[in-house]
Amino acid sequence: MTDATLHVFRGDKTGGDLRTYQVPVTEGMVVLDAIHYIQQHEDSTLACRWNCKAAKCGSCSAEVNGKPRLMCKTRLDQFMGSPVTVRPLAAFPLIKDLVTDVSWNYRVNQEIPPFTPARDDTGPWRMYPEDVDRMFEFRRCIECFLCQDVCHVLREHDGTSRYYGPRFMVRIAGLEMHPKDTVSRAHLLRGRGGIGFCNITKCCEEVCPEEIHITDNAIIPLKERVADEYFDPWRALLRAFRGRREPRGT
Amino acid sequence: MADQTASHSYAPEYPWWLQPIATVVILSAFALYSIWVAFQARGYVAPYLSPFYSPPVRVGAIPISPAWWVVWVPAGFRATCYYYRKAYYRSFFRDPVSCMIGESRRRYAGETAFPFILNNLHRFLLYLAIIVLAFLWRDTVAAFFFDGRFGVHLGSLVFLVNVVLLSGYTVGCHAFRHMVGGNLDCYSCARGGRVRYRLWQWVNPFNHQHAPWAWASLFSVAAADVYVRLLMAGVISDPKLF
């Protein structure tokens, strides 16, 4: 049994540094296992958020060797004996050690108008596969916020007051493309949602553990819908004559 | 040890600066070549018309190269393309140069202010690019006829490959995908919705490979033009294949 060297961030909002731990490696071990080993055998005060250990709850997000990852899905053997550095998500305020305050995301979520069917359309609804298959991908999101962490608008440009971030572009896309939803969120996207701040550099796609095509399938289609509303005089003319109709396609 | 805000140590499989530098070099070289080609004011040797000069437009007696009337369409189409936006934001503007690499520039407006807000007009350049593409298909058909008789020369195949790659790139455009069906919410209840759903599905594979199509078609346009220019200069002949 060999040992892995882990440099783990220890500290709180007042400051901190990396501390080094030696952890015996077993077959199939992931970074979260190593963190648990440290908690159990070396330092029980190490703070870390986790829940399912199956890459489905999105709790154990951290920056492993500088890349946002789920600790429970990151095997130690991929680093081939090199030291592994584990830091908290840098885009969010630090609470302690590897735990950050991600509550901003939940406040953003509340700003998004929820699914709103027509008042007189009470169901039961018959849903066709072609109408909902786009949304299955968006429903895979586990809210790990790795995409929010890697988004350079939020991370490098203090964008939390200007841009909702990739996670909520995915949520809005799922609502906007729903065949029974009647609310347009184009105004929200262009304003408070700040979709114009996204310059589609696709870092969010690179870190998504659910492999959601965040940019291609959510953000860009939303940008095109905003262009429909605000940058397309031809469509504006059509709307003026034919009246606004929601949802699209009915 | 460094604190939480220290520089990041994420290292991809290859050096992070390699892709931005390659992008800058290739796109800059192509832009310079395009400008040089446009200044040449000629790009035809029977039966091949350089893609930079198609369609051949002349406006009155204005003495400028015909290429200038056309070349801004594909140039604008590529400049506002979602894939190329990613490429040049990363490479030329370092916004960001690579994921998790810190940025030095603090002011950032993304696509909310001039000039990048103009990228929202991508769809209009798509419409014009489709017209240009139709002319390129006409030129490709013409490239298979020599003195009125059908034949296949090396140049015919160069033109065919070029127009196929350009078509794949255009069909995979995100704005095209939106136009053919992505803008619908309810395929089952829209007029022609199921046909548009199938169209949208057909476009998706092209869209998912938009970057390879974008690069391949960029090189093929240059290659087709180089072929025409080499023929014009008499440097090469145009071998007949069958």
Side-chain angles (χ1 to χ4, degrees):
Chain A
M1 185 185 294
T2 57
D3 279 4
T5 302
L6 270 83
H7 303 306
V8 182
F9 180 82
R10 303 301 309 276
D12 55 26
K13 59 186 175 187
T14 61
D17 57 16
L18 293 174
R19 289 196 202 154
T20 302
Y21 302 93
Q22 297 295 324
V23 176
V25 178
T26 55
E27 189 176 353
M29 195 171 188
V30 294
V31 172
L32 184 59
D33 292 326
I35 295 296
H36 284 163
Y37 180 90
I38 295 168
Q39 285 180 323
Q40 290 161 12
H41 296 91
E42 298 193 34
D43 189 347
S44 60
T45 65
L46 171 60
C48 147
R49 186 185 284 129
W50 73 285
N51 192 356
C52 74
K53 204 173 172 291
K56 285 297 165 197
C57 74
S59 302
C60 62
S61 303
E63 294 180 8
V64 181
N65 279 5
K67 183 177 183 181
R69 303 171 193 253
L70 293 178
M71 288 193 287
C72 69
K73 205 180 176 183
T74 307
R75 287 175 64 124
L76 276 175
D77 55 11
Q78 68 182 283
F79 301 108
M80 295 182 293
S82 303
V84 178
T85 303
V86 188
R87 297 174 187 270
L89 301 180
F92 302 111
L94 183 64
I95 296 175
K96 184 177 185 295
D97 300 337
L98 301 179
V99 180
T100 51
D101 178 4
V102 295
S103 59
W104 171 78
N105 294 286
Y106 303 119
R107 290 195 295 276
V108 166
N109 199 36
Q110 288 177 331
E111 292 179 17
I112 299 170
F115 172 64
T116 311
R119 282 171 188 259
D120 56 349
D121 191 5
T122 55
W125 295 327
R126 179 174 293 173
M127 309 295 277
Y128 292 88
E130 62 264 35
D131 291 331
V132 291
D133 74 346
R134 276 184 299 186
M135 289 178 295
F136 290 139
E137 181 183 21
F138 305 143
R139 302 287 292 184
R140 293 208 309 264
C141 177
I142 58 173
E143 294 203 316
C144 59
F145 304 129
L146 296 181
C147 58
Q148 303 284 77
D149 184 53
V150 81
C151 173
H152 74 116
V153 182
L154 301 179
R155 185 186 181 96
E156 297 282 336
H157 301 290
D158 300 324
T160 51
S161 62
R162 305 191 286 177
Y163 179 45
Y164 281 172
R167 157 60 193 136
F168 297 103
M169 296 299 114
V170 168
R171 172 159 154 70
I172 292 174
L175 291 165
E176 282 289 289
M177 294 177 192
H178 196 293
K180 293 292 181 184
D181 185 76
T182 57
V183 173
S184 171
R185 295 164 186 82
H187 183 69
L188 177 76
L189 283 167
R190 191 171 183 225
R192 175 73 185 91
I195 196 169
F197 285 99
C198 171
N199 65 348
I200 49 179
T201 43
K202 291 198 172 182
C203 290
C204 48
E205 282 197 11
E206 291 182 18
V207 301
C208 180
E210 286 293 320
E211 297 178 352
I212 300 170
H213 293 93
I214 300 172
T215 318
D216 283 324
N217 291 349
I219 297 179
I220 293 175
L222 289 178
K223 274 181 175 272
E224 284 297 311
R225 286 169 183 240
V226 169
D228 285 347
E229 291 284 328
Y230 295 101
F231 299 98
D232 194 330
W234 171 246
R235 282 180 182 270
L237 202 64
L238 282 180
R239 278 197 301 273
F241 281 105
R242 292 157 57 185
R244 186 179 298 274
R245 295 182 303 181
E246 289 287 348
R248 292 157 184 250
T250 55
Chain B
M1 285 287 179
D3 68 10
Q4 191 200 357
T5 58
S7 60
H8 306 291
S9 58
Y10 167 49
E13 293 75 14
Y14 51 85
W16 62 265
W17 44 264
L18 196 60
Q19 190 171 348
I21 286 181
T23 305
V24 167
V25 169
I26 294 171
L27 290 183
S28 302
F30 184 80
L32 290 173
Y33 179 76
S34 305
I35 293 168
W36 178 80
V37 165
F39 274 116
Q40 298 307 301
R42 57 197 194 95
Y44 179 75
V45 57
Y48 306 121
L49 177 61
S50 161
F52 287 89
Y53 284 79
S54 182
V57 179
R58 289 207 176 274
V59 178
I62 300 175
I64 63 171
S65 165
W68 293 115
W69 297 111
V70 178
V71 80
W72 63 272
V73 172
F77 181 51
R78 287 188 190 259
T80 58
C81 161
Y82 284 99
Y83 168 70
Y84 282 111
R85 276 144 81 172
K86 172 197 168 186
Y88 65 69
Y89 284 135
R90 281 196 182 194
S91 309
F92 286 84
F93 299 98
R94 299 162 53 86
D95 268 337
V97 68
S98 184
C99 304
M100 305 300 289
I101 302 293
E103 293 174 43
S104 53
R105 198 159 66 95
R106 298 313 303 170
R107 282 191 61 200
Y108 175 79
E111 298 186 334
T112 64
F114 184 82
F116 298 121
I117 196 169
L118 296 178
N119 281 331
N120 287 297
L121 304 178
H122 181 49
R123 61 185 58 189
F124 298 105
L125 288 148
L126 165 70
Y127 305 151
L128 294 171
I130 290 172
I131 296 170
V132 172
L133 186 64
F135 280 97
L136 292 176
W137 271 104
R138 184 205 62 174
D139 299 338
T140 302
V141 171
F144 283 86
F145 289 90
F146 300 84
D147 298 325
R149 298 181 64 180
F150 180 80
V152 179
H153 290 216
L154 181 59
S156 315
L157 297 184
V158 169
F159 269 60
L160 182 63
V161 168
N162 178 46
V163 81
V164 167
L165 291 173
L166 283 169
S167 301
Y169 170 60
T170 307
V171 165
C173 165
H174 292 81
F176 187 78
R177 183 192 190 207
H178 179 74
M179 183 177 75
V180 298
N183 61 349
L184 288 181
D185 291 342
C186 183
Y187 295 108
S188 63
C189 44
R191 196 184 310 153
R194 287 203 162 87
V195 173
R196 292 185 65 187
Y197 175 68
R198 284 193 208 102
L199 261 176
W200 178 79
Q201 277 190 312
W202 179 75
V203 162
N204 278 341
F206 291 97
N207 179 259
H208 294 157
Q209 298 298 322
H210 201 38
W213 285 105
W215 286 115
S217 60
L218 191 81
F219 286 118
S220 72
V221 167
D225 182 79
V226 166
Y227 192 84
V228 170
R229 278 175 206 289
L230 290 177
L231 284 177
M232 288 165 65
V235 175
I236 58 170
S237 61
D238 183 31
K240 183 178 182 180
L241 301 179
F242 51 88

